[in-house]
Amino acid sequence: MKKILFLAVLMLPVLCFSQIKNSGCYLRMIQPANNDLIFENDSIKISFYFNSMNYFCNLKFENKTPNIIAVDWDKFIMVMEGESHSIIFGDTQMINKDKPKEQSPIAPGSSIKKEIAPVDYIELSMPLYIKRFVKKQGGQEIGYIIPISYSGTLRYYNCKISVSMQ
């Protein structure tokens, strides 16, 4: 009986909090709070993926509207450790890092994928999060301010991911 209770206590965090484990850290969407690293409404679905190297965040944008929408990458902001950062794509050559980025149109019912990171982090070869830093600091947050254009109207979506040891 004690073993069953012990196992139940150990499983409680897994059952109560949905999270994704990556590079020894747990990731969860805290704004808006949900069970996956996904933002979704009637118009768009944005999925966040991190690889084991943690230098880039892979984003997938799915257009759920009957119209063309677009991501305005020049207005896209990543917030790391309380500071706002412009982004760079995974396939950008560093000599072109400061050039304006084109909008990415997304046709109705289709999707696009982009690999992004803060420019400063890539210049310094810093990953988005490191297990020992998260362990020492007690957690970290990665924020995204995502500008999406709908028929000429720009809307900003705020997403925040928590990185922790539990």
Side-chain angles (χ1 to χ4, degrees), residues 50-57 78-81 83 85 88 94 116-133 140 142:
F50 295 86
N51 64 20
S52 61
M53 296 299 289
N54 300 327
Y55 285 97
F56 289 90
C57 176
M78 281 185 75
V79 181
M80 303 289 296
E81 299 179 39
E83 293 185 18
H85 297 273
I88 189 169
M94 288 307 287
I116 66 165
V119 174
D120 298 340
Y121 277 56
I122 295 302
E123 287 180 327
L124 298 172
S125 294
M126 291 173 38
L128 297 173
Y129 57 90
I130 302 170
K131 181 180 177 179
R132 70 179 136 79
F133 176 82
Q140 180 180 341
I142 304 172

Side-chain angles (χ1 to χ4, degrees), residues 37-132:
L37 299 180
I38 294 173
F39 169 86
E40 186 170 15
N41 64 18
D42 294 342
S43 305
I44 191 147
K45 179 178 179 181
I46 307 168
S47 304
F48 299 82
Y49 305 95
F50 295 86
N51 64 20
S52 61
M53 296 299 289
N54 300 327
Y55 285 97
F56 289 90
C57 176
N58 299 298
L59 300 173
K60 180 179 179 184
F61 295 84
E62 297 176 50
N63 183 354
K64 297 168 58 176
T65 73
N67 303 311
I68 296 173
I69 64 173
V71 180
D72 190 338
W73 295 108
D74 280 327
K75 294 180 177 143
F76 194 109
I77 299 171
M78 281 185 75
V79 181
M80 303 289 296
E81 299 179 39
E83 293 185 18
S84 297
H85 297 273
S86 58
I87 61 157
I88 189 169
F89 298 126
D91 60 355
T92 300
Q93 296 175 350
M94 288 307 287
I95 196 166
N96 297 324
K97 70 178 172 51
D98 295 322
K99 288 188 177 181
K101 298 162 197 62
E102 295 182 15
Q103 287 190 359
S104 294
I106 309 169
S110 70
S111 65
I112 63 164
K113 294 179 183 178
K114 286 288 187 178
E115 187 179 50
I116 66 165
V119 174
D120 298 340
Y121 277 56
I122 295 302
E123 287 180 327
L124 298 172
S125 294
M126 291 173 38
L128 297 173
Y129 57 90
I130 302 170
K131 181 180 177 179
R132 70 179 136 79

